[in-house]
Amino acid sequence: MPHIERVSQNWSGTPGNVKSVLIVGADSTIGRGLLAAFEATAISVWSTSRRNRGPGPRHLLLDLSQSTDDWMLPSSPVDVAFLCAAVTSQAQCESDPEATHEVNVEKTCALAKELTAAGTFVVFISTSLVLDGQTPYANTKQSINPQTIYGRQKAEAEQYLLGLGDAVAVVRFGKVIAPGAPLFENWATDLRAGKIIHPFSDMVIAPVALPFAVEVLRRVAQMQCPGILQASAANDITYAEAAQIIAKNVGADPALVVPVSRLQTAGLFSPRHTTFDAEGLTALGLVSPPSARAFGHFSSMHLARDESLANSASAASSIPLLFPPRT
């Protein structure tokens, strides 16, 4: 096993099973959400970035495209590690499959092997694109059949990580929507300005809001259930329908949404369905939210306040307060 530098930092334990977490790729969309959520608790939080070490000793430099000799990890094993770092651009994976394979498969698998060997439970963030999108509400028994290079890379990584045994959970998401996502933010800006936008009428998503995705991952970390878990909205919507939801939320004229066909843009893979079944969410005490809720942050009423509460199967869930708040 290549040498990986570990940075020492003492921490005090907290009640509960999970006392420390590592977020690999903390500057990704999901990574940022996890970092904000865990830093508000008494959990010891370590994070990595490929750009810089960050402001404190627990913010480490780790670039999956670089030699493992240059990686930095905590000096002592953490309880749970979230693998969020990846090249997620389908275009980049298509144009440079070797370099992206190194990041998305080779180095990701090497890191997971290192972490699990040290006793860490690993949560790997994956994608609906490992499937072919021909089946609505696909379950975890659905055969993988990726149609893109990115999907094939994620599927290959999944298979390797699942082979590491009961120390790995694979969590598949479709689309995770966070404030600041360029496409949707640009639509909102144009709609507020009275400008026409042209979303696809024949490309679907089953999006969830970032807070909901974070809550799914927090519960997976707490329960440490190995295997595959899938999370999507309860229904597919087209990008045009998503644009109509945003228009309504920002108070814009719906006539400004003028749909076009994706066929006008070459090279875009479009699955027929992106929904998953809800079995895994049910086991976590959650339910699939409606797609519209993923865009609630565009409303002045903030309709997507706290997905972890809004989507609990029961307010009196058998799952306790997952992580104690920082005092």
Side-chain angles (χ1 to χ4, degrees):
M1 178 64 61
H3 167 73
I4 298 177
E5 180 183 355
R6 292 184 174 273
V7 179
S8 62
Q9 174 72 29
N10 295 324
W11 63 75
S12 57
T14 56
N17 295 327
V18 178
K19 299 179 176 64
S20 57
V21 299
L22 170 67
I23 302 167
V24 179
D27 44 9
S28 66
T29 296
I30 292 177
R32 288 194 301 270
L34 284 169
L35 185 62
F38 278 107
E39 285 188 334
T41 73
I43 298 297
S44 173
V45 183
W46 295 77
S47 62
T48 77
S49 170
R50 66 182 177 87
R51 294 181 175 87
N52 55 69
R53 283 196 59 173
R58 295 184 187 175
H59 298 274
L60 309 176
L61 182 66
L62 194 156
D63 187 342
L64 291 177
S65 68
Q66 300 300 312
S67 168
T68 56
D69 293 333
D70 299 326
W71 291 357
M72 301 172 69
L73 291 173
S75 59
S76 299
V78 295
D79 293 323
V80 177
F82 299 94
L83 303 189
C84 306
V87 179
T88 60
S89 166
Q90 292 189 54
Q92 188 174 349
C93 291
E94 295 285 339
S95 64
D96 198 350
E98 292 185 4
T100 54
H101 186 275
E102 179 182 13
V103 171
N104 289 344
V105 183
E106 297 165 27
K107 296 292 181 60
T108 294
C109 293
L111 178 58
K113 183 177 181 180
E114 168 79 3
L115 292 167
T116 57
T120 296
F121 186 82
V122 169
V123 182
F124 175 62
I125 313 302
S126 193
T127 172
S128 60
L129 291 176
V130 300
L131 306 177
D132 58 19
Q134 295 301 305
T135 305
Y137 303 105
N139 60 38
T140 57
K141 296 181 177 64
Q142 185 86 23
S143 298
I144 59 173
N145 187 25
Q147 303 297 299
T148 65
I149 290 178
Y150 172 63
R152 288 197 288 273
Q153 291 174 352
K154 281 293 192 177
E156 184 179 348
E158 278 191 12
Q159 294 303 299
Y160 179 88
L161 268 63
L162 290 170
L164 294 176
D166 290 343
V168 174
V170 170
V171 181
R172 294 173 181 164
F173 291 107
K175 190 75 172 178
V176 176
I177 307 296
L183 175 64
F184 303 112
E185 291 291 343
N186 290 341
W187 283 356
T189 298
D190 286 345
L191 289 167
R192 291 186 185 103
K195 297 180 180 178
I196 292 174
I197 62 172
H198 298 284
F200 292 139
S201 61
D202 48 4
M203 180 176 284
V204 301
I205 49 175
V208 297
L210 178 60
F212 181 79
V214 167
E215 185 60 19
V216 169
L217 294 170
R218 280 162 44 106
R219 295 192 180 210
V220 169
Q222 175 72 8
M223 299 176 72
Q224 297 191 20
C225 299
I228 301 171
L229 184 137
Q230 302 181 139
S232 75
N235 58 299
D236 277 318
I237 57 173
T238 66
Y239 276 81
E241 289 170 330
Q244 290 285 358
I245 293 168
I246 294 172
K248 179 180 179 180
N249 284 353
V250 302
D253 184 350
L256 295 171
V257 178
V258 180
V260 296
S261 172
R262 68 178 177 85
L263 299 179
Q264 299 179 20
T265 304
L268 284 177
F269 169 67
S270 178
R272 292 180 59 191
H273 306 281
T274 64
T275 50
F276 294 128
D277 75 345
E279 181 179 357
L281 292 179
T282 300
L284 296 179
L286 299 169
V287 297
S288 301
S291 288
R293 191 168 288 155
F295 303 98
H297 61 282
F298 287 108
S299 169
S300 60
M301 297 179 65
H302 300 291
L303 300 179
R305 292 182 296 273
D306 185 353
E307 297 286 64
S308 66
L309 296 178
N311 294 289
S312 293
S314 166
S317 170
S318 60
I319 300 177
L321 178 65
L322 298 180
F323 304 105
R326 188 178 299 279
T327 57

